[in-house]
Amino acid sequence: APCYATLNNKKFPDDFMFGTATSSYQVEGAWNEDGKGENIWDRLLHTNPNFTVNGDNGDITCNSYHKYKEDVALVKELNVTHYRFSLAWARILPNGHVDQINEAGVQYYKNLITELRANNIEPFVTIYHWDLPQTLQDEGGWPNSNIVDAFVDYARLCFQLFGDEVKYWMTFNEPKNTCWQGYGAGTKAPGIKAAGIEDYLCSHNLLKAHAKAWHVYDEEFRATQKGQVGIVIDSNWWEPSTNSSDDLEASETKLQFTFGWYAHPIFIGDYPKVMKNNIRRRSLAQGYTKSRLPEFTPEEIEFIKGTADFLGVNMYSSALVTPVENHDVNAIGYEADSEVRDWLSENWKRGASPWLVVTPWGVQKLLRWIKEQYDNPRIIITENGYSDYDGTLDDVDRIDYIQQYLSSVRDAMDEDGVDVFGYTVWSLMDNLEWVYGFTNKFGLYNVDFNSPNRTRTAKKSVGVYQNIIRTRCLVDDCIDS
Ligand code: GBH
């Protein structure tokens, strides 16, 4: 029997939401069917198969485009309140712009949403989860400010098409990974390596696009559709490697560079001070005439501030931090700009993903920090989950992970008064895990990628999650709070 000693014994509130999640490129397949346009992942993985382990790509993956009814049946079987999925921009708008709408793509999402509603499952819709239409990348992608209006037109169309049935919208999933991995480190599509320059331009445009889309909803749709628009921001918990004031400060700096990069403009106004100061100081020392971090005008700061009805948090892991000693002043890059170094403790249990360590206490610390920083926003955990290599049905490590993290979330609610209204397991099923292809498996359901049917099979974690949802408890002798 599992050891319950560290699990919270308090019930989750009756209205607490429990859900599960996927994203379009990772599960849909049908990459060129029924009029879908090419996106940056299609292009990158077709032209450069070495980008992923085993040359895996999303051409077919879980085949959810054809199997969505079966997917919804699994979601139903889980008995969750909500299903978080994303819209593939190029499936709706093949060239990225609203002059050409792909009716078959629109119909696919209408069918999916109808099927969810018919089964009493709340759709949580991410408008952008990393699959930019290739045509928009050819126009410069996120670092080019033209993208702002292209995104806002697309978002408005989504509100028009689906907003009668969708009440929870998220503009962006993990902007840091769109920008830093896509245009800085080059480890995600479009694979551009321009760290310290294009990642900052990308974020600048993305924040404006987010804010504009929120205002469009607020002015044109909120009164009739009565939904909410938020954003999903991810971060590790950055644990000070010692109790020294330098390490405490490194933790704060790293939180500002990761979470604050997006949350500060949206919840407080403008970029975090430490980002503005560090990047300006380093840019000038490097011979630039101004900071590599673009500046918002006072009007833009006001326009972006307050543009989230709720905050989605993706949290999986933690790392230790300390200031970089004798840092190289000439290094141009987002990571160099933070002047903080991070690494994983040898003592932490690992998942299959090289970055994933089992640190449930980190989620409580992150949630408490968010509450204090941003004046107690309404939060939903939009992703949390555990990867293994083999997709085993006897997934005791995943069960342990989910129980421990949920317990820590419950502690954050109870001990720190964090306003958490829901939790979402990544992922409904094993899927295309970006550069790790099909080798890192996060699913509650196993998918047989060798079978043309892409057969789904429940893992042991399904039963455990069903039980948590039914009882709203992590332990047998759980108490009402
Ligand atoms: C999420 O990304 C994605 O939304 C989802 O598509 C994906 O399948 C899932 O998680 C599992 O990976 O130094 O803070 O940047 C989370 C991926 C993992 C990206 C941690 C950043 C490095 C830590 N993130 N990673 S950080």
Side-chain angles (χ1 to χ4, degrees), residues 154-211:
Y154 162 54
R156 178 187 285 105
L157 179 68
C158 294
F159 300 147
Q160 279 164 354
L161 289 170
F162 312 120
D164 287 340
E165 298 297 334
V166 174
K167 301 303 155 193
Y168 292 92
W169 294 98
M170 292 144 291
T171 52
F172 291 97
N173 178 66
E174 301 191 352
K176 177 163 61 71
N177 296 309
T178 295
C179 294
W180 156 239
Q181 298 205 346
Y183 298 91
T187 46
K188 287 206 161 68
I192 289 168
K193 293 190 171 73
I197 309 279
E198 292 204 17
D199 37 12
Y200 294 141
L201 291 171
C202 168
S203 295
H204 208 63
N205 294 323
L206 187 150
L207 281 160
K208 289 184 196 178
H210 160 80

Side-chain angles (χ1 to χ4, degrees), residues 105-116:
V106 171
Q107 196 55 50
Y108 169 67
Y109 293 114
K110 285 200 166 158
N111 292 345
L112 172 58
I113 292 164
T114 303
E115 190 72 10
L116 288 166

Side-chain angles (χ1 to χ4, degrees), residues 151-418:
F151 177 80
V152 173
D153 287 346
Y154 162 54
R156 178 187 285 105
L157 179 68
C158 294
F159 300 147
Q160 279 164 354
L161 289 170
F162 312 120
D164 287 340
E165 298 297 334
V166 174
K167 301 303 155 193
Y168 292 92
W169 294 98
M170 292 144 291
T171 52
F172 291 97
N173 178 66
E174 301 191 352
K176 177 163 61 71
N177 296 309
T178 295
C179 294
W180 156 239
Q181 298 205 346
Y183 298 91
T187 46
K188 287 206 161 68
I192 289 168
K193 293 190 171 73
I197 309 279
E198 292 204 17
D199 37 12
Y200 294 141
L201 291 171
C202 168
S203 295
H204 208 63
N205 294 323
L206 187 150
L207 281 160
K208 289 184 196 178
H210 160 80
K212 241 179 152 170
W214 184 90
H215 282 285
V216 163
Y217 190 84
D218 199 47
E219 285 156 26
E220 301 172 26
F221 298 96
R222 189 187 297 281
T224 51
Q225 297 186 348
K226 300 184 167 51
Q228 307 181 34
V229 180
I231 186 168
V232 173
I233 305 178
D234 70 297
S235 180
N236 284 342
W237 169 252
W238 305 107
E239 177 72 4
S241 54
T242 73
N243 280 331
S244 75
S245 56
D246 283 354
D247 288 342
L248 293 173
E249 195 183 322
S251 168
E252 177 65 21
T253 299
K254 191 74 178 172
L255 284 160
Q256 294 295 352
F257 264 80
T258 51
F259 211 88
W261 193 1
Y262 305 97
H264 202 284
I266 293 171
F267 289 93
I268 297 177
D270 205 357
Y271 292 117
K273 261 207 185 69
V274 66
M275 284 192 83
K276 295 203 293 184
N277 290 346
N278 278 21
I279 300 168
R280 168 178 300 278
R281 170 172 48 75
R282 294 177 63 88
S283 299
L284 296 181
Q286 289 159 353
Y288 289 85
T289 54
K290 60 176 190 175
S291 179
R292 285 178 279 102
L293 183 70
E295 272 180 34
F296 290 120
T297 66
E299 293 74 30
E300 287 168 344
I301 291 172
E302 279 310 306
F303 185 76
I304 296 170
K305 199 167 129 182
T307 56
D309 304 319
F310 67 92
L311 173 60
V313 174
N314 288 358
M315 199 288 178
Y316 291 84
S317 194
S318 304
L320 297 170
V321 289
T322 198
V324 178
E325 280 166 42
N326 308 317
H327 48 79
D328 175 4
V329 288
N330 290 317
I332 297 169
Y334 160 70
E335 291 196 305
D337 286 337
S338 76
E339 300 174 346
V340 172
R341 184 165 69 81
D342 67 274
W343 70 99
L344 305 179
S345 164
E346 298 293 325
N347 301 326
W348 297 336
K349 180 180 157 189
R350 286 166 178 267
S353 309
W355 48 269
L356 199 160
V357 284
V358 183
T359 51
W361 43 269
V363 75
Q364 182 180 7
K365 291 190 179 192
L366 181 68
L367 288 171
R368 181 164 56 211
W369 182 85
I370 292 169
K371 179 194 168 176
E372 284 165 7
Q373 273 289 308
Y374 308 114
D375 195 18
N376 199 18
R378 288 183 69 236
I379 294 173
I380 176 164
I381 305 289
T382 33
E383 285 180 34
N384 175 246
Y386 179 82
S387 58
D388 55 35
Y389 293 104
D390 54 5
T392 178
L393 301 184
D394 187 25
D395 57 341
V396 288
D397 292 334
R398 176 167 300 100
I399 290 168
D400 192 50
Y401 179 102
I402 290 171
Q403 288 176 327
Q404 301 281 349
Y405 275 71
L406 262 174
S407 179
S408 183
V409 169
R410 188 69 190 82
D411 284 338
M413 297 163 70
D414 191 49
E415 293 167 10
D416 307 310
V418 184

